[in-house]
Amino acid sequence: MVAAQLCRQSHRHKVAKTTLKEVCGFVGLYYNVIIGWSIFYFFQSFQHPLPWSECPIRRNGTLA
């Protein structure tokens, strides 16, 4: 009886660890993507004129 209970608890801990690792991995990926885009736009902001100062849709004749 005790052995079966320990076995079930051990399985729950393994599932919890796996789930926690997956959640931490996705959160880490999410923050790394945000930091990557922030760094990209930070260095793009040193250009003159700024790449986003004009709407590219207007240049090809379409309405914005």
Side-chain angles (χ1 to χ4, degrees):
M1 202 104 187
V2 174
Q5 215 173 13
L6 288 175
C7 187
R8 274 183 280 181
Q9 286 179 351
S10 175
H11 178 69
R12 287 183 194 147
H13 287 285
K14 287 179 185 176
V15 170
K17 282 183 183 179
T18 304
T19 304
L20 187 61
K21 286 179 185 178
E22 290 173 359
V23 169
C24 289
F26 283 122
V27 170
L29 177 66
Y30 174 77
Y31 281 116
N32 281 322
V33 168
I34 289 175
I35 290 170
W37 279 112
S38 300
I39 291 170
F40 172 76
Y41 279 109
F42 174 74
F43 285 109
Q44 290 292 314
S45 70
F46 290 110
Q47 293 182 12
H48 183 75
L50 291 173
W52 54 84
S53 62
E54 275 189 18
C55 183
I57 296 173
R58 291 187 187 157
R59 270 192 264 162
N60 66 8
T62 58
L63 298 175

